[in-house]
Amino acid sequence: MGEVPEETVRELYTALPEEFTAARDAAAAAAKAAGHAAQATAIKRLRRPTVAAWLVNLLAHRAPERIAELTALSAALRDAQRQLRGADLRALTVQRRELLSALAERAVDLGVRAQPGLTPAKLPQAEVEQTLAAALADDEIAAQVRAGTVVKAVSYTGFGAASAFGGADTGDEDDADVVVLPRRPARKAPAGPAPTRPVPAHDGAAAPAGGRVARRAVAQRDRSADDVRPERETRATEPPRVPLELRRELASAREAEQRARDEADRARAAEAAGADELARLRETLAALEERRARAQQEVNGRRAARTAAERALAAAVRRTTKAQAAIDARSATA
């Protein structure tokens, strides 16, 4: 963020998105008033994040240890893919799915805590997960995630496993489950010196038999070189093929991931339904609580009226007793 202080970045990108612009302008004005014109300009250039980006930034600033897990997983995936370790790649793919889901849920939880009026069902958890997945494969996105300065959700399409490894087409669709590194351009074999051909005999003199044999040998060598050179160049530019076992393991991992995704979608739908039911119950409870409060006020009023009536009754009883005592005393002296 250039000259923008880290604390300012943290405050702006963890604030609610609707509060970002006002907070940014206030920070820029404060920097300008303090005589830091360049810093004020840099602050003014900061862009407001979307809701999904805000959730990712909350995760980066308030749970940086979880972002460190994402960084470690990215390095492990790259290493396993580079060395074609099928078993490790399959295990890491499962770990990737679990970690991305857990991080997205944590980001949503942080968003609900920051704004209690929100509910998980109303937050773009899928976009958060896609952005974190993109950070696994793209260093620039990963840097933005670690810094907590993401401004919009992104997704990674990648090259796909088949095009990355250059093997035969397996019929699989491209996806970003496996971190794909760009291939290095194949090196071309340096062209060697042109073969030297024997000089033919002049003035009609017949060439020696050895010369004819030498010319035929050279011609044969030239033809062989012409036939072999394209093959060598093809081999130099042709990427390595993916082992069948690795393709099968990757296909199996993708199937497992798809099943898990379907299960996660069902779980999210169930969670959304549960959240809606909970919201309805809360509304009902609020209505009942309001009725209870009114009833309590009515009971309190009636209790106060009863207490006043009892006090009036006690006063009347005392007055009656006093009058009766006076009558009894006069009757006794008569």
Side-chain angles (χ1 to χ4, degrees):
M1 284 300 159
E3 299 181 13
V4 181
E6 182 178 349
E7 183 63 27
T8 301
V9 171
R10 182 183 301 107
E11 290 178 358
L12 291 178
Y13 281 96
T14 56
L16 296 177
E18 59 268 25
E19 300 174 356
F20 177 87
T21 302
R24 179 199 61 192
D25 293 346
K32 186 176 182 179
H36 305 302
Q39 185 180 108
T41 302
I43 294 174
K44 193 69 175 179
R45 289 174 180 169
L46 298 179
R47 297 173 56 194
R48 171 182 171 177
T50 63
V51 174
W54 169 65
L55 293 174
V56 174
N57 295 334
L58 279 179
L59 184 67
H61 289 295
R62 299 184 179 175
E65 71 283 355
R66 302 309 307 270
I67 299 299
E69 294 180 38
L70 193 71
T71 302
L73 178 61
S74 175
L77 279 167
R78 289 173 183 268
D79 185 62
Q81 189 253 341
R82 202 162 23 228
Q83 300 184 26
L84 300 180
R85 298 198 307 268
D88 291 348
L89 186 61
R90 185 174 181 178
L92 289 170
T93 300
V94 175
Q95 181 181 346
R96 169 190 181 277
R97 181 178 63 247
E98 295 174 349
L99 180 60
L100 289 177
S101 178
L103 292 184
E105 291 177 1
R106 179 67 185 281
V108 168
D109 180 64
L110 289 172
V112 172
R113 293 185 182 184
Q115 177 57 281
L118 298 173
T119 61
K122 296 179 180 180
L123 292 175
Q125 182 170 334
E127 294 182 18
V128 174
E129 188 169 336
Q130 290 175 0
T131 301
L132 294 174
L136 283 172
D138 190 292
D139 291 338
E140 183 177 352
I141 297 174
Q144 293 179 12
V145 169
R146 287 193 299 270
T149 56
V150 180
V151 295
K152 63 181 179 179
V154 293
S155 60
Y156 176 72
T157 56
F159 299 103
S163 61
F165 289 105
D169 186 7
T170 61
D172 296 327
E173 297 292 331
D174 290 346
D175 63 22
D177 290 343
V178 180
V179 177
V180 179
L181 299 177
R183 294 197 304 269
R184 293 182 178 178
R187 297 180 178 177
K188 294 185 178 181
T196 304
R197 298 177 181 271
V199 180
H202 295 281
D203 299 331
R212 289 194 297 271
V213 173
R215 286 196 298 273
R216 284 197 299 269
V218 170
Q220 180 64 32
R221 184 183 64 189
D222 291 343
R223 286 194 297 270
S224 300
D226 291 339
D227 294 338
V228 173
R229 188 177 297 109
E231 181 180 355
R232 288 178 177 174
E233 292 179 355
T234 300
R235 290 178 180 176
T237 59
E238 183 180 278
R241 294 183 178 275
V242 180
L244 178 60
E245 178 183 359
L246 180 58
R247 292 202 303 271
R248 289 176 176 173
E249 289 178 353
L250 181 57
S252 177
R254 285 177 173 170
E255 292 176 359
E257 179 180 3
Q258 187 58 49
R259 289 193 298 269
R261 285 183 182 276
D262 294 341
E263 181 63 27
D265 290 341
R266 288 191 293 270
R268 292 191 184 105
E271 180 186 10
D276 292 341
E277 179 65 19
L278 180 60
R280 287 193 294 270
L281 291 175
R282 284 175 175 169
E283 292 177 358
T284 303
L285 180 61
L288 292 174
E289 181 62 26
E290 184 178 355
R291 290 178 57 187
R292 184 201 66 78
R294 289 197 301 267
Q296 185 65 51
Q297 291 177 355
E298 185 176 354
V299 168
N300 292 340
R302 292 179 179 180
R303 181 180 294 113
R306 176 189 59 79
T307 301
E310 289 178 348
R311 289 176 179 174
L313 175 61
V317 169
R318 288 194 299 272
R319 183 179 179 185
T320 300
T321 302
K322 184 177 180 181
Q324 185 65 46
I327 294 173
D328 292 344
R330 178 171 292 186
S331 298
T333 58

